[in-house]
Amino acid sequence: MVLKYLIQKEFLQLRRDAFLPRLIVVFPIVIMCVMPWVLNMEVKNIVVDVVDNDRSTVSKQLVHRIEASRYFIFNGQKATYKEALADVETSKADVVVVVPPRYGRDLKNGGTPQVLIAANAVNGTKGAMGAGYLSNIVTQNVSPAGIGQALSTLYLYNKNLNYKLFMIPALMGILMMMLCGFLPALNIVSEKEKGTIEQINVTPVSKWTFILAKLIPYWIIGLLVMSICFVLAWLVYGITSAGNLALVYLLAILLAFIFSGFGLIISNYNETMQQAMFIMWFFVVCLMLLSGLFTPVNSMPDWARATTVVNPMHYFIDAIRTVYVRGGDFASISHQVATLAGMAAVMDVWAIWSYRKRVTN
C-alpha cells in the first residue's frame, strides 16, 4: 500500500514538472523520426570531376555512367588533371577521375587501361567509399557482361540494404538508457539538493520501497516509449519486427533494470546535479560508442573490443538486431539475455547496498 502511494507521488511530480512530460513525448519522436536519417553511414552526393584524355565512344560511356549514378554529383569535365586537382584543393570536388589516352582502343584490343581515381581522403570514409563506388563503375564499363556472369549477390535479412532497419532497433536502446538511467538519477540528486529526500529518510519507509517507487514509474514510461517507437517505425518507415515482440520487450526490461540501477548508483555517490550529469553523460557516451551501435565490434582495436565484454549496450544491440532484423528466437539470444540478467542483478544489488537513509543536521 505504501509503495502504491509513493508511486502515485512520483507520477504527480512528473506531471507537475514543466519540462519532463514534454521531454518524454518529444524525445522518442526526435530519436525515431530524425536520427535514422542523420545517422546514415551511406555516402552520397560525392562531387566528381572527370578528365577525359581519350574522348572516345567508350570513354564517353564511362562519363555518362558516372553522371547517372545516384551517389555522385557530376561537376563537369576538366581539361587537365591539374585543373581538376585545384577543385579538390578548394573543396569544389571530392574525387577526380582521369581517363587515359587510347582508353577505348586498348579495351578493344583486349588491354587493361589504367584509370586514375584521386580521392580527397581528409574524410577517410567518404574518400574510400567514393573511390570504391567509382572503381565499381569503371570495372563495369570495362567488362559489363563478364561482371554479370561471374558475380551473383544475395542480401539476407535486409534485402534493400536499408540502413534505417539497422539503426532503429539500436536507437530504442538509447531511449531506454536515457529514460530509465538518466532521469531517475537526476530526480534523486535533485531531491537531495532541494532537501525533500530527508522527509522520506525520517519515515519508516524501507529503502527497497523507496527505490522501487523511484524506479517503477520510469520503467513504465520506458516500456510505453518503446511501444511508441514500434508504432513510429511502422508508420514512418514501414519497418516491423521480424521476430517476436515479447523478446524485444524482455530485452528492454533487462536494459531498464541495468541502467536504473546504474543511475541510482551514480545518485548515491553524488550530491549535486552537475556532478551526476557529468559522470552519467561520460559513461553514456562511452557505452554508446563502444557498443557496436555505429562501428562493428570486430573492426575495433583489441583494447576497445575487450571493453564490450562488460558493456550492456553491446549485448542489447546485438540481441535486438538479431530479433528485430533477423527474426531470431530465444535460443539465438539466450547468451545475451543471460548476460544482461547477470549485469542487472549486479547493478541493482550494488544500487540498493550503496543507498543509505541518512539525515543531514
Side-chain angles (χ1 to χ4, degrees):
M1 186 62 68
V2 175
L3 178 62
K4 173 185 174 183
Y5 290 121
L6 288 175
I7 292 175
Q8 288 178 350
K9 176 188 77 72
E10 292 299 323
F11 277 114
L12 284 174
Q13 284 184 330
L14 284 173
R15 191 174 66 182
R16 290 171 182 169
D17 193 296
F19 174 71
L20 276 181
R22 297 173 184 171
L23 174 67
I24 292 169
V25 173
V26 173
F27 197 43
I29 294 175
V30 172
I31 289 291
M32 297 302 295
C33 297
V34 177
M35 300 306 287
W37 297 95
V38 177
L39 299 175
N40 192 334
M41 299 299 288
E42 187 178 39
V43 177
K44 292 184 178 179
N45 300 325
I46 303 169
V47 183
V48 179
D49 279 0
V50 176
V51 180
D52 187 358
N53 294 319
D54 185 42
R55 298 189 181 277
S56 64
T57 303
V58 178
S59 67
K60 289 179 181 178
Q61 185 181 44
L62 173 60
V63 174
H64 291 322
R65 282 177 179 268
I66 296 172
E67 191 174 2
S69 174
R70 64 187 180 93
Y71 295 104
F72 300 110
I73 297 175
F74 186 65
N75 198 39
Q77 297 190 40
K78 305 300 177 182
T80 63
Y81 174 71
K82 183 177 180 180
E83 183 181 346
L85 190 60
D87 278 356
V88 175
E89 292 173 349
T90 56
S91 299
K92 295 178 181 178
D94 299 308
V95 184
V96 176
V97 179
V98 181
V99 182
R102 298 182 297 276
Y103 173 77
R105 189 182 69 181
D106 288 346
L107 284 179
K108 186 177 180 180
N109 294 332
T112 55
Q114 298 297 311
V115 176
L116 172 65
I117 299 174
N120 182 355
V122 172
N123 183 334
T125 301
K126 187 175 184 180
M129 295 188 72
Y133 294 157
L134 282 169
S135 297
N136 289 335
I137 292 175
V138 171
T139 303
Q140 291 172 3
N141 192 67
V142 170
S143 180
I147 291 294
Q149 294 170 0
L151 184 64
S152 177
T153 303
L154 175 63
Y155 297 109
L156 301 175
Y157 310 118
N158 187 3
K159 295 182 179 180
N160 297 321
L161 302 181
N162 186 355
Y163 194 74
K164 299 178 185 65
L165 178 60
F166 177 74
M167 287 300 300
I168 283 174
L171 293 175
M172 295 178 186
I174 293 178
L175 281 169
M176 293 299 294
M177 179 169 56
M178 301 296 285
L179 292 175
C180 298
F182 228 104
L183 295 184
L186 297 184
N187 182 9
I188 294 173
V189 176
S190 174
E191 290 203 24
K192 281 185 180 181
E193 286 189 334
K194 295 175 182 177
T196 56
I197 201 169
E198 295 179 3
Q199 300 173 18
I200 295 293
N201 288 337
V202 297
T203 67
V205 175
S206 67
K207 63 180 180 180
W208 277 89
T209 303
F210 171 75
I211 290 170
L212 286 175
K214 283 291 182 184
L215 299 182
I216 286 175
Y218 293 99
W219 293 344
I220 295 173
I221 291 170
L223 293 177
L224 177 62
V225 167
M226 280 285 288
S227 301
I228 294 173
C229 289
F230 295 144
V231 175
L232 287 175
W234 171 60
L235 291 176
V236 178
Y237 307 107
I239 294 173
T240 56
S241 176
N244 192 339
L245 275 180
L247 294 178
V248 178
Y249 278 112
L250 172 62
L251 294 169
I253 290 170
L254 291 174
L255 194 71
F257 288 168
I258 291 171
F259 279 102
S260 58
F262 181 68
L264 186 58
I265 292 169
I266 298 297
S267 67
N268 291 341
Y269 290 103
N270 291 277
E271 301 295 330
T272 66
M273 289 275 285
Q274 285 183 333
Q275 290 177 351
M277 287 183 67
F278 180 81
I279 294 173
M280 195 73 184
W281 184 248
F282 170 78
F283 280 105
V284 164
V285 171
C286 291
L287 291 174
M288 282 195 299
L289 294 179
L290 295 172
S291 65
L293 174 62
F294 306 106
T295 305
V297 173
N298 291 333
S299 300
M300 297 179 183
D302 291 340
W303 64 266
R305 190 162 60 249
T307 64
T308 62
V309 176
V310 293
N311 187 344
M313 282 297 292
H314 165 63
Y315 295 100
F316 174 83
I317 290 174
D318 189 28
I320 195 173
R321 282 173 175 162
T322 298
V323 176
Y324 204 89
V325 181
R326 286 175 44 197
D329 57 8
F330 181 81
S332 63
I333 60 169
S334 58
H335 170 67
Q336 291 90 334
V337 169
T339 305
L340 289 173
M343 289 181 175
V346 171
M347 285 292 181
D348 292 339
V349 169
W350 184 5
I352 294 169
W353 174 81
S354 61
Y355 178 75
R356 297 286 185 271
K357 290 185 67 175
R358 55 186 179 273
V359 182
T360 56
N361 295 324

